[in-house]
Amino acid sequence: MSSINYAEKIPNNVNLSEDRKLQRALESWQPHYIDWWKEMGPEGTSTSEIYLRTAISAEPDGWAQFGHVKMEDYRWGIFLAPPEKDRKVNFGAHKGEAAWQEVPGEYRSMLRRLITVQGDTEPASVEQQRLLGKCCPSLYDLRNLFQVNVEEGRHLWAMVYLLHAHFGKDGREEAEEMLARRSGDADKPRILGAFNEKTADWLAFFMFTFITDRDGKYQLCALAESGFDPLSRSCRFMLTEEAHHMFVGESGVGRIIERACQVMKENRTDDVRKFGVIDLPTIQRYLNFHYSVTSDLYGAEVSTNAATSYNMGIKGRYEETKIGDDHQLENTTYSVLHPVNGGFQAIEVPALNALNERLRLDWAEDVAKGVERWNKIIAKHGIDFKLTLPHLAFNRAIGHFSDIAVDPSGKVISTEEFARRRDEWLPSESDLAYVLSLMGSAVTKPGQFANWIAPPARGINNQAVDFDYVRFA
């Protein structure tokens, strides 16, 4: 079933009405979700009409429609990608076996944990971004923020469906806990550190959606390879929505860069703060922060947990079926960078234990391509400045680089020097205060933009840039 049934209380394409017990359980969870959304979702949006895309099919072509929707009327639901006929487990010890429609008992705990961690990131990002609408730079950007938010909410539904459908009482309890945790809360924080950081300004939001949502892409791609078919199908559809989130981030930072370059050229100065825009060195420091914090989301460079989930057939590699090896990796090694004697050395380790690092490097390569596209904007203006990604060992809190201090170029330094020079490399209190000072009153007139960001080249869904993307009550 690929078409989505909106006649039911919970829109879905999984024939939910045929499983009355599951339907009742999810309908019991639904009001708790709505209460969470009202408390922790985007502030002050309940009566506004927002130009949103809504899924109408799980097919790749023509899967969504656009239209103005009141946030309180948005219909979150459960959507899985169409099943693949005769799908097999493509890696690990079960390679070649039929994909599982139910959870293998011996893998229950591992699968539940992976689904819970993925699911916890979705409401976390909504919570981090809930106040940004108050200082939006345009209606175009406000609409994009809300689109990201409602789809993160739907991704939570995707993981909650799996927990309810396949993990019984344990799954229902995990689903409740996802609504109880809060981003940055001292007592009940979100599971992963990056999702407890503040997103107080739009530069941070754009960096998050460019860098951290790109981590989401790679994690979802790895889970989409899973031998547990319902998880695979859930993640494949989530990836359809995730692409727009990364576009919002990359284009948003690109427009901030464009505006900075315009002001630099117009006024023949690098000191653009006095003109109310964000300077390129500050953008570099934000890039360093978000890149290093997101890198930690991949976990330890050498991990037996990653090896176990791969061997079980639960979580694969990025584009697993396109890799030309035996997909079991029992006699294969992979080169992993280690800190050695004040420097770094690439050491061969069992490939099964290096899966976190391989996925991290796939992500890093993708991020680097986006940064190069930003550099083309700077070069177009003839400005001698280049954004760079810091070394993977820079500012790390997890893995075998967490015990050493490293500058962005990859030089191992003392912890004292790092502390002394921290504000050269990461956003300082004055950087954060300056960027926050630009986040004034929301710009809510169609076609108008805050001074610190350039307009986009085109609108959403072939609409004009000055389209009324948000209609206020």
Side-chain angles (χ1 to χ4, degrees), residues 324-365:
D325 59 25
D326 67 1
H327 304 280
Q328 292 181 314
L329 310 181
E330 292 177 351
N331 301 304
T332 309
T333 62
Y334 190 81
S335 181
V336 175
L337 201 64
H338 285 68
V340 177
N341 298 327
F344 300 98
Q345 181 179 339
I347 298 175
E348 294 293 317
V349 303
L352 279 170
N353 292 345
L355 292 168
N356 283 349
E357 186 64 4
R358 179 169 184 145
L359 194 61
R360 187 185 349 256
L361 294 178
D362 287 336
W363 161 81
E365 181 180 358

Side-chain angles (χ1 to χ4, degrees), residues 185-204:
D185 189 274
D187 298 319
K188 296 203 75 170
R190 291 295 173 182
I191 295 171
L192 299 177
F195 292 89
N196 290 302
E197 299 287 346
K198 291 182 179 179
T199 306
D201 61 70
W202 279 78
L203 177 55

Side-chain angles (χ1 to χ4, degrees), residues 39-44 126-136 142 145-146 149 199-202:
E39 178 190 353
M40 300 304 299
E43 188 165 296
V126 175
E127 292 166 355
Q128 289 174 300
Q129 300 156 13
R130 66 183 303 266
L131 300 179
L132 290 176
K134 290 185 169 184
C135 56
C136 66
L142 184 61
L145 168 68
F146 292 160
N149 290 163
T199 306
D201 61 70
W202 279 78

Side-chain angles (χ1 to χ4, degrees), residues 145-325:
L145 168 68
F146 292 160
Q147 185 72 64
V148 169
N149 290 163
V150 296
E151 289 178 348
E152 300 291 13
R154 204 211 63 74
H155 294 176
L156 170 61
W157 269 95
M159 297 297 102
V160 165
Y161 163 72
L162 294 174
L163 290 170
H164 274 259
H166 298 281
F167 294 92
K169 182 175 181 288
D170 291 342
R172 293 191 295 273
E173 290 175 352
E174 294 282 17
E176 291 295 337
E177 282 296 302
M178 287 186 199
L179 299 180
R181 287 186 285 269
R182 294 287 184 269
S183 176
D185 189 274
D187 298 319
K188 296 203 75 170
R190 291 295 173 182
I191 295 171
L192 299 177
F195 292 89
N196 290 302
E197 299 287 346
K198 291 182 179 179
T199 306
D201 61 70
W202 279 78
L203 177 55
F205 167 68
F206 289 138
M207 284 290 183
F208 183 96
T209 46
F210 170 67
I211 294 175
T212 310
D213 278 347
R214 196 168 303 274
D215 160 70
K217 166 190 169 181
Y218 281 85
Q219 299 292 351
L220 289 174
C221 282
L223 291 171
E225 301 288 348
S226 180
F228 180 42
D229 201 46
L231 174 60
S232 171
R233 292 173 59 200
S234 293
C235 292
R236 285 181 358 238
F237 186 79
M238 290 165 70
L239 283 163
T240 305
E241 297 171 320
E242 198 75 26
H244 177 69
H245 305 186
M246 293 181 288
F247 161 78
V248 168
E250 181 176 338
S251 62
V253 175
R255 290 160 51 216
I256 294 174
I257 293 169
E258 173 68 28
R259 182 62 181 141
C261 293
Q262 290 173 357
V263 172
M264 290 172 72
K265 294 291 287 184
E266 290 167 3
N267 298 279
R268 298 182 180 181
T269 181
D270 294 340
D271 183 15
V272 296
R273 287 194 178 188
K274 61 186 177 183
F275 298 100
V277 299
I278 302 172
D279 53 290
L280 297 179
T282 297
I283 294 171
Q284 176 68 68
R285 289 190 286 274
Y286 268 67
L287 175 59
N288 289 347
F289 173 78
H290 285 271
Y291 182 75
S292 58
V293 168
T294 302
S295 186
D296 277 340
L297 293 177
Y298 289 89
E301 289 77 8
V302 179
S303 168
T304 56
N305 283 340
T308 299
S309 64
Y310 185 88
N311 194 50
M312 288 177 173
I314 291 173
K315 183 179 180 181
R317 293 170 290 179
Y318 177 64
E319 296 189 333
E320 178 71 44
T321 56
K322 296 181 180 180
I323 300 172
D325 59 25

